[in-house]
Each structure stands twice: as C-alpha cells, then as structure tokens.
C-alpha cells in the first residue's frame, strides 16, 4: 500500500499525483457517499479524500551532504499527507487538506534581539542565503512514529553568523506565523485553543550552531509544501519533531531560556530540550520503540535519534531525565 | 440493524483492500475500531431511555445485538493493539497495561465486557435471573472506562473525547435521575389511554 522506491528515483518520476488523486477521487465518489455516511454522522473522518496537489517549484543546484543517512526514504506522499501541524488542523490529514490557505508570498523573517545586525529578510533572500544542500534525516515524532525525509536547506549557523550575535545571546527563540486566516487551526473554537498561538520554539546557542541543525526550504528537490512548514522551517534531527518549528516569521536571540509551545501547554510532559531518548518515557507512553512509517514491526528508538556521535557531547554532565 | 453495525467493518475491509488506510494504517485501524466500539456501546445505552420515552418496547430486541457489536469492535481494537501494534511482544504489552494509565483503563473496560458478552445468551439470562441485570450494569463502567481511555491518550485536542463524554453523561445522567426520582422519568408518549405517569 505504501509506495516503496529506491533512493535514486525521484519522487516525481513515480506515482504522478494526478493519477493517484483521480483514483482516490473515484473510490471516494463510489464508496464514500454511502459508506462514510455513518462515520460522518459520528464526526469521524478517517477516510477523507486526499488533498489537491499543486505544482511546486523545483530547487536547482542542490548539493549532497555527508550528514545524510542512506536509510530508505519515505515517499513524498507519506511526508506530505501525514503531518502534525496544528495551525492547519489537528488530524494528521488536516494540514494537507488546509495547505491551500497557507500562502507563503509575501513572507519575511525578522531577526531580533541580541544581534549586532538585526534585519528583516525577505523569504527569497533566505532561500539564497547559503548553498542549498540535501539532508536526508530521520525524523522521530514524540508520538512514537518516525520517517526518513530528504530535506533541502542550509545550516542555521549560516544565518546566525550573518547577523552576528552579541555576547548576551545564549538562546534563540523561533516564532511561527500568527494569522488565523492563513492558519485556520488558530481560529478560536468552543473548547479554546489546543496550543497558545503563535507556536514558539527554542534552542540553546550551541544546539543552534550545530552543523546538523538546518533551516529547511524544500523537500524532495522541490520547495517545501505548506503542510510541511513552508516557506522556511527548522529541522533538528536529534530532537522530537515538535522542536522543528514550521513557517518561521521571527528569530529572536535572547539571554534566558525561552518559552516553548508544548512545554507551555503541558510542562510535566514536554521540556525545553526534548532530545529523542528511549530511556525517558513520555509520562503517558513509552519512547523505547517507534513505528517507522511503512514498516510493520516497531523498531528500537536510538539515543538522540541515532545522532549521538555528533551531539552527545553537547549534553555532557546533564541529567537528561530531569532536563527532558 | 445487524447490517448497519457491519458497515464500519465493511468499510475498514474495503479501504484495507484498496490499500487506502492512510500513511499509518495501524494507527488508522486502531482509532477506527476504538471509536466504533464506543459509538455502538453508546447507541446500546440509548435503547432503554428511548424505549421508555417513546413507549416503543420492540427496541429491546436490538440491545443485545448492539452490545455484542460494541464488544466485536472492542475485540478488533484490542487485537490490533496486540497483533498489529505490538506483534505479540507480551513483555511490552504487559508493561503498557501496567504502567500506562490510558492502556490500563482501556484494557479494564475491555475485560469487563467479556462477562457481559459471555452471559448474553438466552440461557444465561434465564439462569442468572435477577443477577443478570446486576451484572450487566457493568456496562456503565465500561462506558466510563472507554471515555477516560480516549481522554488520556490524546495529546492536546480533547474535543472528541469531550463530545463522547458529554453523550455518555446524558445517558448515565438519565439513569441517575430515574434512580433518584421515585416516580421515574415521565414518558413522552404513552401506549394506551392513560396519561398518568406510571411508576416503575
């Protein structure tokens, strides 16, 4: 049922989205009206149709990187139709369905705080800030599933070096767009908000400068789809996915450890560091294993999501049970 | 009614056959079977109030079937957890049941359904007599366990478990009112000519 593919075939060469969408459309019209009626009445929408695909611009001149894993990559369909991006809806399929609302031009990213050269970048300048690289990373969600994703981007350190942090810059806070029109998940609901908007995340300066930490602007040789956090998002592969904040509009250099969205929501369950750690369970579920999307058997979760050789030294002497 | 209860199962098989269970099929199956177990359980809990409010006594015929279908979907849900999710990793499954409150309460709800399913035959109803009704009041606990199970497993969007909880609160609230008010809950429509409220 999942589209398997070797690494050397581009996603665009297999499973043309139109074909696949037409098939889904056909199945939907044939079955959904009758079969889903009960499910719809019950407010239950697991089998909604796939989102409309739209052409995304190609990103040329993308370099390979030695930081990439050689593991089998998840398909573009996996990566773009199963997303946690609450600004576009709380179900995994919602972000793809609501992606059309999140327009990404015009878009600016403001750099503020403890820097010598504060600046508001236009997104098109961000795209050209440094040579684009393909980084094929494992992504481990805090919900105990994982994927392998070929991101395109550049090290966050390239941006940091340009704006010249002052000696007071110890942490960086990132802020997602706040715009309920373009992010329907931010519209108030009867039950209040699932998170405090805008979404905020943060890194310690040494984490932010680490060569594995990237700003991503693309995926599978194309610009980033909206549901994956377009036009620019963070990717920190040794931390749980929610640390990799999407659709960034502000980068603030600060002295004190900044607030982060999930630890604001439930401090007892989500900490600032949120490093992937099979030995520290989520209070409500185990983190020892994970399901790689597309695989049947669970696999063991690796310390720092398998990036321990590169990042373990950042946390020397820290009690990772306390600083989860 | 029998056919209607099979529609979700048919949909699951059909979508599974089409390879159309989403990117994470095991999660899809787990959520789908769990939700339908709860939905059908709550429909089964509607029978008694509806029967009383409408006076349509024939409704009782559906109650056992609905209860058994709720058990059927709960069994599928548990089997998914056992086989597809953990593939008989009993060590991990035992840890989950003991350590994870949402699994503990869900598993408890499922276990409580077993005696109800086993004693659903006409023979057992006859044999147990009055105790049958007492035993089958366990279904209230099953319903509560199901909602708590759902509420404890969501990450932050509590809307759906709260909706389920609200429905259950109405259904159990009806029974509480009926229990507390000696004259019972008045009927909306009376069979026969008397307009007086009949005491139970």
């Amino acid at each position: 049922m999942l589209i398997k593919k070797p690494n050397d075939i581009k996603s665009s060469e297999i499973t043309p989205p139109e074909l696949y969408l037409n098939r889904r459309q056909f199945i939907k019209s044939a079955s959904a009206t009758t079969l889903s009626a009960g499910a719809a009445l019950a407010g239950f929408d697991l089998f909604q149709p796939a989102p409309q695909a739209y052409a995304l611009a190609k990103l040329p001149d993308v370099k390979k990187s030695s930081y990439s894993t050689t593991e089998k990559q998840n398909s573009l369909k996996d990566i773009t139709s199963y997303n946690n991006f609450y600004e576009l809806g709380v179900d995994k399929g919602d972000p793809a369905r609501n992606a059309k609302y999140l327009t990404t031009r015009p878009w600016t990213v403001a750099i503020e705080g403890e820097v010598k050269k504060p600046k508001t970048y236009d997104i098109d300048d961000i795209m050209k800030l440094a040579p684009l690289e393909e980084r094929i990373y494992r992504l481990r969600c805090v919900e105990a599933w994982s994927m392998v994703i070929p991101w395109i981007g550049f090290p966050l350190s390239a941006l940091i070096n340009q704006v010249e942090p002052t000696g007071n810059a110890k942490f960086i806070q990132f802020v997602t767009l706040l715009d309920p029109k373009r992010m329907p998940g931010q519209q108030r609901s009867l039950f209040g908000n699932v998170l405090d908007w805008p979404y905020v995340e943060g890194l310690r300066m040494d984490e932010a400068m680490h060569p594995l930490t990237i700003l991503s602007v693309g995926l599978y040789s194309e610009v980033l789809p909206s549901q994956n956090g377009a036009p620019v998002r963070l990717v920190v592969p040794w931390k749980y996915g929610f640390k990799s904040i999407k659709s960034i509009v502000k980068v603030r250099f600060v002295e004190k450890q900044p607030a982060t969205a999930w630890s604001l929501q439930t401090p007892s369950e989500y900490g600032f560091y949120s490093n992937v750690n099979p030995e520290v369970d989520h209070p409500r579920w185990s983190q020892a294993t994970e399901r790689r999307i597309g695989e049947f058997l669970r696999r063991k979760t690796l310390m720092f999501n398998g990036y321990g050789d590169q990042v373990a030294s950042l946390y020397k002497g820290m009690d990772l049970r306390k600083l989860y | 009614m029998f056919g209607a209860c099979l529609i979700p199962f048919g949909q699951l098989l059909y979508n599974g056959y089409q390879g159309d269970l989403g990117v994470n099929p095991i999660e899809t199956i787990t959520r789908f079977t769990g939700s339908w177990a709860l939905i059908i359980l709550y429909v089964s809990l509607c029978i008694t109030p509806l029967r009383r409010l409408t006076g349509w006594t024939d409704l009782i015929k559906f109650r056992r079937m609905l209860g058994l279908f709720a058990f059927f979907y709960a069994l599928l849900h548990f089997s998914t957890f056992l086989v597809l999710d953990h593939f008989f990793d009993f060590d991990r499954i035992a840890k989950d049941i003991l350590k994870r409150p949402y699994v503990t309460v869900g598993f408890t709800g499922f276990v409580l359904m077993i005696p109800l399913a086993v004693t659903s035959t006409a023979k057992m109803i006859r044999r147990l007599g009055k105790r049958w009704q007492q035993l089958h009041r366990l279904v209230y606990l099953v319903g509560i366990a199901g909602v708590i199970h759902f509420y404890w497993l969501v990450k932050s969007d509590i809307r759906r478990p709260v909706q389920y909880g609200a429905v259950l609160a109405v259904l159990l609230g009806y029974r509480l009112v009926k229990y507390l008010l000696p004259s019972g809950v008045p009927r909306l429509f009376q069979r026969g000519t008397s307009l007086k409220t009949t005491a139970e």
Side-chain angles (χ1 to χ4, degrees), chain B residues 13-125:
Chain B
L13 290 182
Y14 178 79
N15 283 67
Y17 176 72
Q18 296 284 344
D20 199 15
L21 289 173
V23 168
N24 192 346
I26 296 173
E27 180 191 65
T28 305
I29 296 168
T30 306
R31 287 179 51 184
F32 189 82
T33 51
S35 295
W36 279 108
L38 281 181
I39 292 166
I40 296 175
L41 186 74
Y42 296 166
V43 174
S44 79
L45 284 172
C46 291
I47 295 291
T48 298
L50 270 184
R51 206 159 71 99
R52 194 159 156 74
L53 290 169
T54 64
W56 183 17
T57 48
D58 284 356
L59 275 172
I60 193 71
K61 283 190 274 184
F62 297 123
R63 196 173 63 176
R64 169 166 57 191
M65 193 198 297
L66 285 164
L68 284 171
F69 264 113
F71 180 68
F72 169 70
Y73 283 100
L75 184 66
L76 286 177
H77 183 67
F78 180 70
S79 310
T80 309
F81 169 74
L82 191 79
V83 183
L84 298 181
D85 198 6
H86 289 285
F87 200 64
F88 306 109
D89 182 350
F90 288 110
D91 183 43
R92 195 159 295 289
I93 290 166
K95 272 190 196 143
D96 256 6
I97 291 174
L98 294 172
K99 271 177 74 181
R100 313 288 160 202
Y102 86 89
V103 186
T104 314
V105 71
F107 183 71
T108 306
F110 172 68
V111 169
L112 290 179
M113 288 178 100
I114 296 172
L116 307 191
V118 170
T119 58
S120 64
T121 59
K123 209 172 168 187
M124 287 303 279
I125 295 171

Side-chain angles (χ1 to χ4, degrees), chain A:
Chain A
M1 88 190 52
L2 296 169
I3 297 139
K4 318 282 187 195
K5 55 175 224 36
N7 289 348
D8 56 343
I9 300 178
K10 284 192 184 137
S11 65
S12 49
E13 292 171 6
I14 53 169
T15 324
E18 302 79 359
L19 276 184
Y20 143 76
L21 284 173
N22 284 343
R23 187 187 132 270
R24 292 283 293 243
Q25 216 48 54
F26 174 75
I27 292 165
K28 166 132 170 82
S29 53
S31 68
T33 39
T34 49
L35 287 182
S36 299
L41 278 174
F44 200 73
D45 50 5
L46 284 177
F47 301 123
Q48 286 195 8
Q52 292 303 307
Y54 49 92
L56 290 166
K58 290 264 173 217
L59 289 171
D61 307 326
V62 176
K63 294 192 301 180
K64 299 272 177 222
S65 165
S66 56
Y67 289 111
S68 288
T69 172
T70 53
E71 284 167 80
K72 196 173 123 47
Q73 296 163 42
N74 282 92
S75 67
L76 186 65
K77 184 201 159 197
D78 287 351
I79 299 168
T80 57
S81 61
Y82 190 76
N83 305 95
N84 274 327
F85 191 7
Y86 284 11
E87 285 86 338
L88 296 180
V90 290
D91 271 354
K92 296 282 190 299
D94 285 344
R97 283 190 284 271
N98 292 326
K100 56 183 181 285
Y101 298 111
L102 179 55
T103 51
T104 55
R105 293 293 184 286
W107 192 282
T108 57
V109 181
I111 316 294
E112 304 175 345
E114 295 290 345
V115 288
K116 291 186 188 118
K117 295 179 176 167
K119 183 179 172 181
T120 297
Y121 285 88
D122 188 82
I123 184 62
D124 293 316
D125 295 329
I126 296 261
M127 310 276 293
K128 286 178 275 181
L129 195 129
L132 295 182
E133 301 173 30
E134 181 186 58
R135 295 284 185 103
I136 306 165
Y137 284 162
R138 294 176 288 276
L139 175 126
R140 169 62 156 79
C141 179
V142 74
E143 298 166 347
W145 54 267
S146 64
M147 292 197 196
V148 175
I149 302 179
W151 302 109
I152 294 168
F154 55 83
L156 175 62
S157 60
L159 174 73
I160 296 175
N161 289 333
Q162 269 205 4
V163 296
E164 298 180 27
T166 70
N168 291 332
K170 302 285 194 293
F171 294 90
I172 304 183
Q173 183 174 43
F174 303 85
V175 184
T176 295
L177 176 73
L178 176 64
D179 184 349
K181 280 206 191 84
R182 284 193 280 172
M183 295 187 151
Q186 292 174 338
Q187 287 163 17
R188 283 210 153 271
S189 82
L190 195 63
F191 291 85
N193 291 334
V194 284
L195 289 170
D196 280 336
W197 311 117
Y199 196 93
V200 284
E201 256 306 336
L203 292 175
R204 214 167 58 187
M205 194 54 96
D206 57 345
E207 297 174 326
M209 287 297 291
H210 194 280
L212 281 173
T213 305
I214 60 165
L215 284 177
S216 172
V217 295
L219 186 66
Y220 263 124
S221 79
E222 291 172 352
V223 300
L224 210 55
S226 288
Q227 62 265 40
N228 294 89
V232 58
R233 66 170 292 167
L234 187 68
V235 179
V236 196
W238 71 91
K239 292 176 180 285
Y240 292 119
F242 65 85
K243 289 294 288 182
S244 295
I245 184 171
K246 303 181 181 81
S247 305
I248 299 168
V249 293
K250 208 170 276 181
V251 180
R252 203 180 279 143
F253 290 70
V254 292
E255 198 171 356
K256 299 259 157 56
Q257 181 177 300
T260 58
W262 278 99
S263 59
L264 284 170
Q265 153 79 16
T266 321
S268 58
E269 298 188 350
Y270 307 98
F272 175 78
Y273 286 96
S274 302
N275 293 314
V276 175
N277 188 340
E279 280 150 36
V280 178
D281 287 338
H282 186 283
R284 289 183 286 150
W285 57 82
S286 166
Q287 296 291 24
T289 62
E290 68 200 48
R291 169 158 294 107
R292 176 69 52 83
I293 296 300
E295 291 180 356
F296 177 67
L297 290 177
R298 284 171 172 263
R299 49 165 77 206
K300 283 199 158 54
T301 289
L302 303 174
M303 188 65 202
F304 297 115
N305 200 21
Y307 297 97
D309 287 349
Q310 293 99 314
V311 302
S313 60
L314 297 175
Y315 308 102
K316 217 175 264 170
M318 280 174 52
D319 183 352
L320 296 177
R321 276 185 187 280
K322 288 212 178 89
L323 296 166
Y324 52 87

